[in-house]
Amino acid sequence: MSAFWQADLASEAKIPVAKPLLPSFDAIAPYLRRIDETRWYSNGGPIVQEFEGRLAAHTGSEAKVATIANATIGLALALQAQGARPGTLCMVPAWTFAGSAHAIVVAGLVPWMVDVDPVTWALEPAAARALVRSAPGELSAVMPVSPFGAPMKTEPWESFRDETGIIVVIDAAAAFDTVQESSVPSIVSLHATKVLGIGEGGFVTSTDATFIEEVQKRANFGFWNSREAKVWALNGKISEYAAAVGLAALDGWPQARADFAQVGSLYRKSLTALGDIVMQPGFGDRWISSTVLVAALSSGAHLMARELAKEGIETRQWWGGGLHRHAAFRSYPHNAVPITERLAHTVIGLPCWVDLPDHEIARVSQVINSISV
């Protein structure tokens, strides 16, 4: 990538907030030829099996993986596969994407929206443990969320589950780079906008082979070694074609990760107004994501978005005002969520994609620094 240069901002073309890049035809073609040879197009064929094996190897030596049509379905199936009781509460942070709550509802549970930690932006196990006593009904599950792909420690959640008997499902939709093997299941999105994308898709991972088999059964009409539907289920599989894209994406993962890391690192170095602009801990250094999030503490997200838009720079408030602000979820219980409210007011997504040029990062940073000083 080229070195920084000073641009005439008024004359620059628009910088989009996202510009996904999936594997090229040439990269996918060898896997497509294998599909042509086997004439096996869906239902867990050899391409899907290889993809799941490589995803498991990425996650950890003891990890098992079930691919699914998308992460929302994966979250719902993970709740059901662990025996979450319909009609009971599932604790979920208000600071998350709408898909988290949709999955809870699809699984037959009731979202109970609670606040997050001001530093990690996540629901922490100690906070969840304290909240259990004040649940507004029977609580059978908790869904912690990795905020924008930030790493989450799984051991404390294993302890929480073992001590309370409450089911835990981690929404790790954006956390392909940081997902950890654990007996607590994590669900990762493979949407086109993620660091490793196949268009639409995702996977459920856990070290519990029996649980993964149950997820696979529930993603295949409840069938397992027979044509009898043994449990509530749906069709949540991916095709051999989607897995072919995934294998090509994994082939290119080392380079893609390095490129995303360069984008994150350059943003961190370029945003000099550090008193006002806060980035997630470790982003661009220890971990990467396909989104760049900053909290504009003084100016606020709306002012930041307006000023950047004047310069042709697109932004996004990826999680809006929090789950409790969505019309679809207003009737569900929620606690006071002042941290979520503050994050909704201050956090904004900046342009980020794998080959975002250095000079465009410099341009975005220049505008932000001028607003924040």
Side-chain angles (χ1 to χ4, degrees):
M1 296 185 183
S2 61
F4 282 5
W5 57 280
Q6 297 298 316
D8 177 1
L9 298 180
S11 66
E12 286 288 292
K14 180 177 180 179
I15 303 177
V17 71
K19 199 173 181 181
L21 180 65
L22 267 61
S24 68
F25 169 80
D26 289 340
I28 303 169
Y31 300 108
L32 298 180
R33 293 191 185 97
R34 286 172 53 186
I35 295 172
D36 290 343
E37 291 168 1
T38 63
R39 295 171 65 172
W40 194 337
Y41 305 107
S42 189
N43 295 343
I47 301 293
V48 166
Q49 293 175 40
E50 181 178 345
F51 185 40
E52 289 180 341
R54 288 180 62 180
L55 289 171
H58 165 80
T59 305
S61 61
E62 302 299 320
K64 307 294 187 293
V65 159
T67 49
I68 31 85
N70 58 64
T72 305
I73 287 175
L75 290 166
L77 293 179
L79 287 167
Q80 285 293 317
Q82 294 184 92
R85 295 183 298 280
T88 60
L89 297 173
C90 178
M91 185 191 305
V92 63
W95 185 236
T96 185
F97 180 61
S100 305
H102 282 307
I104 293 168
V105 174
V106 167
L109 281 72
V110 176
W112 172 33
M113 295 160 278
V114 301
D115 215 354
V116 294
D117 183 87
V119 176
T120 65
W121 301 0
L123 173 62
E124 296 295 335
R129 189 176 282 103
L131 286 166
V132 166
R133 296 188 292 271
S134 60
E138 183 183 356
L139 177 69
S140 68
V142 176
M143 185 182 290
V145 178
S146 161
F148 307 102
M152 294 186 68
K153 294 180 179 178
T154 54
E155 293 88 350
W157 284 113
E158 292 175 353
S159 298
F160 172 91
R161 176 202 59 196
D162 296 343
E163 292 167 10
T164 65
I166 295 171
I167 291 165
V168 179
V169 172
I170 297 176
D171 182 343
F176 179 80
D177 183 54
T178 60
V179 64
Q180 301 175 29
E181 64 177 0
S182 171
S183 59
V184 170
S186 291
I187 291 76
V188 179
S189 173
L190 299 173
H191 188 269
T193 57
K194 299 299 187 284
V195 291
L196 189 114
I198 65 173
E200 286 282 3
F203 66 93
V204 180
T205 181
S206 169
T207 57
D208 185 340
T210 302
F211 162 77
I212 290 297
E213 182 179 298
E214 186 67 20
V215 170
Q216 291 172 322
K217 182 194 305 181
R218 289 175 180 269
N220 188 37
F221 304 102
F223 298 159
W224 196 256
N225 297 326
S226 78
R227 299 297 291 176
E228 179 187 358
K230 298 180 181 296
V231 292
W232 172 91
L234 41 73
N235 181 11
K237 303 183 298 293
I238 66 168
S239 71
E240 294 288 279
Y241 292 105
V245 178
L247 287 173
L250 284 173
D251 292 341
W253 169 243
Q255 184 60 56
R257 193 196 185 283
D259 290 342
F260 272 118
Q262 181 172 338
V263 170
S265 177
L266 205 49
Y267 263 118
R268 183 171 288 280
K269 293 175 183 176
S270 303
L271 293 171
T272 58
L274 295 180
D276 182 57
I277 301 299
V278 174
M279 303 185 77
Q280 290 178 273
F283 172 76
D285 178 16
R286 300 189 303 272
W287 60 279
I288 59 101
S289 179
S290 59
T291 53
V292 173
L293 279 297
V294 298
L297 300 181
S298 298
S299 55
H302 290 295
L303 173 61
M304 186 75 70
R306 186 169 67 247
E307 295 303 310
L308 287 166
K310 290 178 183 177
E311 304 299 336
I313 300 167
E314 187 180 27
T315 58
R316 192 69 47 84
Q317 288 181 270
W318 290 111
W319 287 353
L323 284 184
H324 63 299
R325 296 289 185 182
H326 289 273
F329 311 124
R330 285 176 189 158
S331 63
Y332 295 114
H334 70 83
N335 286 14
V337 288
I339 305 302
T340 296
E341 293 279 3
R342 189 182 76 193
L343 292 171
H345 176 72
T346 59
V347 172
I348 189 166
L350 304 178
C352 179
W353 61 89
V354 68
D355 53 352
L356 177 62
D358 290 3
H359 70 267
E360 295 198 341
I361 297 174
R363 178 182 165 206
V364 174
S365 301
Q366 178 185 352
V367 175
I368 290 176
N369 290 333
S370 69
I371 297 169
S372 303
V373 295

